[in-house]
Amino acid sequence: MEPNETAERATALHRQAVAAHREGRIADAVPLFQQSLALRKDAEVYLDFGALLAALSHWAPAGAVYAAALKLAPGSLDAHYGLALAHHAQGRPAEAEPHYRTVLASCPGLGEAWNNLGVALQEQGRPGEAEAAYRAALRHQPGDAGTWKNLGVALEGLGRSAEAEAAYREALARNPDHAVTLNNLGGLALAAGRLEEAGAAGRRMAALNPADRLAWMLLGNAAHAAGRWAEAVRVNAVAVRLAPDDPAPRRNLANALAVSGRRVEAVAEYRALLGLRPDSPAVAVELAVELCGLHDTAGALAVLRGVIGRHPDHGAAWRVLGRVLGRALAGGFQPDAALDALRRAVALDPGDRAGWEDLGAVATLADRIALSIEALRRVRRLFPAYNPALAQLVQQQRHACEWRDLPALESDLIGRMRAGALGVPPFGLLAADTAPADQRAAAERWARQKAEGVAAVARPAVPGDGRLRIGYLSADFHEHATAYLMAELLERHDRAGFAVTAYSTGIDDGSPMRRRLTAAVERFVDLRDRSDLDAARAIAADGIDILVDLKGYTAFARTAILAARPAPVQVNWLGYPGTMGADFIDVILADAVTIPPGEEGFYSEAVLRLPHCYQPNDRHRAIAERTPSRAESGLPEDGFVFCCFNSPYKLTPALFDVWARLLRSVPGSVLWLYAGNPLVAGNLRREAAARGVAAERLVFAPPRPLAEHLARHRLADLFLDTLPYNAHTTASDALWAGLPVVTCRGATFAGRVAASLLTTVGLPELVTESLEAYEALALDLARGPDRLVGLKARLAAARGTSPLFDATRFAGDLEDAYRTIWQRFGPAGDRR
């Protein structure tokens, strides 16, 4: 074919291709363009062919075609623009950028090109330059909603949220139904805490397109932030149905289920999410947290060790591993592995508050007080306003008798609590200078936190046999102070009138006490490895009438079990000397001394008083026949022995002032204390020296088996009680061993227990009403040995006659109380 004929033929094919394209006959147009170009390489043909391929989103061949056009016509702005679009659409914004700039250098009035350049710059992480490009675009196309939206994205990336919001609103003014802009504006509202506005944006998006997963995700995030957990689960589930292979909505659903307390479903969603993102350490860690919440320690550890094996520098995985191992301390785990994991976590992320907090918590459980204090102080430095760390630091310094800055810390904590602070454990306030109203306020806030997301379990109708079904819930059914007090009571319960079940959430230490407690009740149920929900369901399935909580807010409490309301009547007794402030606890058992008439308003529970001391005692507590010598016990051969075997956290600087004056006033006397942590002895000896008392006048008693511990009370002359938190079990031990106790009546339940014990045992004259009177009485007794002899004789007689040591009488009184409770609080129509 002649050259002219070839050119004419190529031109004709080009015209036919363009016509086919305009008429929508793409299958005809493509080969026509190809045939034309085979005959003659022409920039115009390449440009028209590129436009067709771009319209089809066939960006790779479109880019090749535009590049060919550019070789033939290096100055072609159309070729530059087409190639820019092709590079950009294929995810290569850096290659697109110079072509956009070439176009704009010649045609600066092209608003669309400025907008596209802005997008390319934004995608390269250059939001400042992107902002300039978008503003240039808006000078030429001020009504373009998409450009206003893009400007908002750039401003948001620059941290200028208010300006970003204004830009989004400009976009919506021009296109009220633009879903992406609605979503972005909703996200800003959510971040600013304007939850209703965020929800409105999500609802508008869903109305425009019910299949828009982003709409449902925004609704889910707004509901989550507002604490509307059921709604968050519902709307996130819609998002997952719309996009089952998208990890983002599935993770939101898993998180919503987790915070709702629906751990089994959360675990299933996290596992599904790992199927989509199998190497996501964050998701695996979240799964482990939920498994731990289900008390599946083995499953949680397996997940975490797998994560650490693949990601050895993932700090959160080490932190949660340490937390899981720490929680397992109650099951007999050794603390070293937990502490090692947490040390690794804080080394990897020294600015992570949670890591230091967990290190402090596990060190506390492991009785590594120095490490705990160090970790909690680090939390305080990182986040001075964080209340839980301050509360735990105060408690740990009490345990160590580290008083140098304790008054200031305690004052700060009480001030925050009175200002309505959350995260202040009520138990720590019992040993502080707080009023009953303070303790109720803190307990109510704590109870609400513990009950958050906990739904009541169903209580099926369980046929009975006419007996009241009593359940005791505790983690202390082993060698523990609570068990020492109530073992005989459990044995003395009237099985003709009461069906008694013990629900254990603590360790089985294999001790004689564990065996004794197991035999003492009709049924002994181990719930240690059951989740809170499963444990509550098990109790409900047993048809328990009255569930008695023996833990309150002390260590290893399982408050969420009680929050699920497994029993129609729930009682706070023995383990926690104060109100629980919870609407799921109906009654607190006390006596007329611990809660005097007129103070009922300080308790959220109804107050029911036993006729004598609320605290039971076990007459079978053995006292070793052999009394150790003074030398064996580290005591001087001569001299008066004041003693206090209370936990060190109950000691206070003000009380220690009194004790130091007693030692100075009684020559040759010593103060015999429980050793506790090794820090205690050093700190107290320093405090003694500061008060003019030689360090050697403080003697520390190491732990001993109970029978031997009781026997060494014979070496002491007088037990000095603590305030504001009295001796409880330790006072009972002293009285049972024949050692008089001097106490000062406090302002709260925790500070009146020793007064109740002494009144019941027949020694009310040992109860004082002020620290001045307490000091005077102790000094008088130390200088009057004959009077002490008389008191010890009366105690010896009381062992066989006092209601304090009469477990049979106590069991009868307690059973009368249960009948009264059932009559007053049991379900109507089922009171027997």
Side-chain angles (χ1 to χ4, degrees):
M1 186 179 294
E2 293 296 323
N4 287 341
E5 293 177 350
T6 300
E8 291 173 1
R9 176 62 177 160
T11 300
L13 288 168
H14 179 201
R15 291 195 191 100
Q16 293 173 36
V18 170
H21 183 192
R22 288 173 180 167
E23 294 168 6
R25 294 183 287 110
I26 305 302
D28 295 333
V30 170
L32 289 169
F33 276 124
Q34 291 171 333
Q35 291 169 34
S36 175
L37 289 167
L39 293 172
R40 184 182 62 181
K41 308 301 182 191
D42 184 279
E44 289 299 321
V45 179
Y46 276 119
L47 290 172
D48 288 340
F49 191 17
L52 179 148
L53 293 170
L56 295 173
S57 296
H58 294 171
W59 292 108
V65 168
Y66 281 125
L70 199 60
K71 286 182 179 179
L72 294 173
S76 171
L77 297 181
D78 287 337
H80 275 291
Y81 197 56
L83 189 55
L85 293 174
H87 284 321
H88 203 165
Q90 293 177 82
R92 302 201 299 269
E95 296 175 55
E97 180 187 344
H99 296 288
Y100 285 136
R101 291 194 183 279
T102 298
V103 172
L104 288 167
S106 297
C107 301
L110 293 177
E112 180 184 7
W114 281 111
N115 179 71
N116 289 345
L117 174 61
V119 174
L121 293 165
Q122 183 79 31
E123 290 173 351
Q124 293 178 71
R126 294 151 64 187
E129 296 173 72
E131 177 195 359
Y134 294 138
R135 293 197 185 279
L138 289 169
R139 284 194 292 272
H140 302 290
Q141 51 183 37
D144 187 73
T147 304
W148 280 108
K149 183 270 293 180
N150 290 342
L151 175 60
V153 172
L155 291 167
E156 197 172 345
L158 291 166
R160 290 151 58 186
S161 298
E163 294 175 73
E165 183 174 331
Y168 291 142
R169 294 195 185 282
E170 290 284 353
L172 288 176
R174 290 155 176 80
N175 183 358
D177 296 339
H178 194 258
V180 174
T181 304
L182 284 166
N183 185 61
N184 292 357
L185 189 58
L188 282 179
L190 187 66
R194 304 195 307 270
L195 305 184
E196 184 51 43
E197 184 180 335
R203 288 189 292 273
R204 176 65 178 155
M205 292 168 65
L208 291 169
N209 179 10
D212 185 350
R213 63 178 176 80
L214 294 178
W216 296 100
M217 290 173 66
L218 179 57
L219 285 169
N221 289 335
H224 196 123
R228 300 193 300 270
W229 313 126
E231 181 185 344
V233 168
R234 177 178 59 79
V235 295
N236 280 314
V238 174
V240 168
R241 286 197 297 273
L242 292 170
D245 295 330
D246 186 340
R250 192 170 292 277
R251 187 169 190 180
N252 286 354
L253 175 58
N255 291 343
L257 288 165
V259 79
S260 299
R262 295 164 62 175
R263 294 188 184 277
V264 173
E265 296 164 89
V267 164
E269 289 300 326
Y270 283 127
R271 290 196 188 282
L273 184 55
L274 280 176
L276 298 172
R277 300 176 61 186
D279 201 38
S280 170
V283 173
V285 169
E286 288 162 349
L287 170 61
V289 169
E290 294 309 301
L291 290 169
C292 185
L294 289 170
H295 292 264
D296 183 0
T297 301
L301 292 176
V303 169
L304 291 166
R305 285 169 175 149
V307 172
I308 289 169
R310 296 187 298 275
H311 304 276
D313 293 333
H314 196 273
W318 283 105
R319 174 174 57 79
V320 176
L321 175 63
R323 181 189 297 173
V324 173
L325 290 170
R327 287 186 59 176
L329 288 175
F333 278 66
Q334 295 300 312
D336 292 342
L339 293 173
D340 287 346
L342 289 165
R343 287 189 181 100
R344 179 71 176 266
V346 297
L348 288 167
D349 190 356
D352 179 27
R353 181 196 75 196
W356 289 104
E357 186 178 13
D358 287 342
L359 178 58
V362 172
T364 297
L365 291 175
D367 201 28
R368 308 282 178 84
I369 296 181
L371 176 59
S372 177
I373 290 173
E374 175 193 350
L376 292 165
R377 284 177 175 164
R378 180 65 71 95
V379 177
R380 286 265 295 159
R381 287 196 293 273
L382 290 170
F383 297 92
Y386 186 58
N387 299 316
L390 173 59
Q392 289 302 317
L393 178 60
V394 167
Q395 189 69 355
Q396 287 306 101
Q397 290 197 198
R398 285 189 192 131
H399 277 288
C401 294
E402 174 52 82
W403 296 339
R404 280 175 286 197
D405 60 346
L406 183 60
L409 292 172
E410 192 169 283
S411 177
D412 185 9
L413 178 65
I414 293 171
R416 294 187 192 190
M417 179 272 298
R418 288 175 176 163
L422 298 176
V424 179
F427 179 74
L429 297 174
L430 301 184
D433 187 17
T434 53
D438 295 327
Q439 294 179 9
R440 175 168 181 171
E444 287 176 341
R445 289 194 287 270
W446 192 256
R448 286 193 294 270
Q449 289 177 258
K450 291 295 181 181
E452 191 171 1
V454 179
V457 297
R459 294 197 298 263
V462 180
D465 56 10
R467 297 182 296 167
L468 267 179
R469 291 170 289 206
I470 309 297
Y472 291 103
L473 177 67
S474 180
D476 300 331
F477 291 128
H478 50 83
E479 291 286 345
H480 187 276
T482 300
Y484 298 151
L485 290 175
M486 67 180 302
E488 188 179 4
L489 160 68
L490 295 176
E491 294 165 341
R492 297 292 176 180
H493 264 310
D494 174 16
R495 295 199 178 185
F498 296 85
V500 178
T501 303
Y503 293 102
S504 174
T505 59
I507 63 169
D508 178 357
D509 60 357
S511 65
M513 177 57 77
R514 176 74 167 202
R515 294 193 295 273
R516 182 181 173 192
L517 294 169
T518 302
V521 295
E522 197 163 318
R523 296 176 64 245
F524 191 98
V525 180
D526 192 340
L527 298 176
R528 177 185 51 179
D529 295 326
R530 305 280 288 273
S531 70
D532 294 334
L533 179 59
D534 284 347
R537 285 172 174 162
I539 295 169
D542 288 342
I544 293 298
D545 297 317
I546 300 174
L547 182 63
V548 183
D549 178 44
L550 300 173
K551 289 298 296 177
Y553 295 134
T554 57
F556 304 114
R558 300 276 295 274
T559 308
I561 296 175
L562 296 150
R565 268 288 184 182
V569 182
Q570 300 189 156
V571 176
N572 168 19
W573 178 54
L574 191 59
Y576 186 73
T579 183
M580 288 184 68
D583 59 8
F584 47 83
I585 302 293
D586 305 291
V587 178
I588 182 171
L589 287 174
D591 57 53
V593 176
T594 50
I595 303 181
E599 293 196 0
E600 292 81 1
F602 297 125
Y603 298 82
S604 62
E605 309 92 337
V607 177
L608 195 145
R609 297 177 180 87
L610 297 177
H612 304 290
C613 182
Y614 85 106
Q615 182 174 290
N617 277 277
D618 177 12
R619 290 176 296 188
H620 300 303
R621 276 178 295 175
I623 303 177
E625 292 185 9
R626 179 182 178 274
T627 303
S629 69
R630 281 195 165 202
E632 289 173 318
S633 301
L635 298 168
E637 289 301 323
D638 299 307
F640 193 89
V641 177
F642 296 103
C643 91
C644 179
F645 292 143
N646 285 1
S647 293
Y649 75 87
K650 295 184 180 182
L651 279 59
T652 67
L655 188 69
F656 204 71
D657 288 341
V658 173
W659 291 353
R661 287 196 295 270
L662 288 172
L663 290 171
R664 292 199 305 268
S665 300
V666 182
S669 62
V670 295
L671 178 60
W672 197 15
L673 302 168
Y674 178 67
N677 189 276
L679 289 175
V680 171
N683 286 334
L684 288 180
R685 285 185 169 129
R686 184 189 68 244
E687 294 290 340
R691 290 164 173 80
V693 174
E696 60 269 19
R697 296 183 69 184
L698 270 57
V699 181
F700 292 90
R704 287 285 184 270
L706 180 59
E708 296 179 27
H709 172 63
L710 293 173
R712 64 183 170 185
H713 282 72
R714 300 181 186 124
L715 300 176
D717 296 297
L718 184 64
F719 189 108
L720 298 176
D721 195 16
T722 50
L723 195 76
Y725 199 139
N726 283 175
H728 294 187
T729 305
T730 47
S732 282
D733 287 345
L735 297 174
W736 178 244
L739 179 63
V741 175
V742 171
T743 191
C744 180
R745 191 191 310 268
T748 65
F749 191 131
R752 295 169 177 163
V753 172
S756 175
L757 292 165
L758 287 163
T759 300
T760 303
V761 85
L763 295 175
E765 65 266 38
L766 296 182
V767 180
T768 64
E769 304 299 330
S770 68
L771 281 181
E772 292 78 12
Y774 167 96
E775 182 177 349
L777 177 58
L779 183 58
D780 184 58
L781 291 172
R783 290 172 172 173
D786 292 343
R787 189 176 175 191
L788 271 178
V789 169
L791 290 170
K792 290 183 177 182
R794 288 165 62 188
L795 272 179
R799 282 168 59 96
T801 59
S802 170
L804 186 63
F805 301 122
D806 189 340
T808 302
R809 181 190 291 189
F810 188 95
D813 292 340
L814 185 62
E815 288 161 359
D816 287 343
Y818 288 153
R819 293 186 187 97
T820 299
I821 289 169
W822 188 248
Q823 283 296 316
R824 289 176 56 187
F825 300 99
D830 191 25
R831 296 172 181 167
R832 53 188 185 273

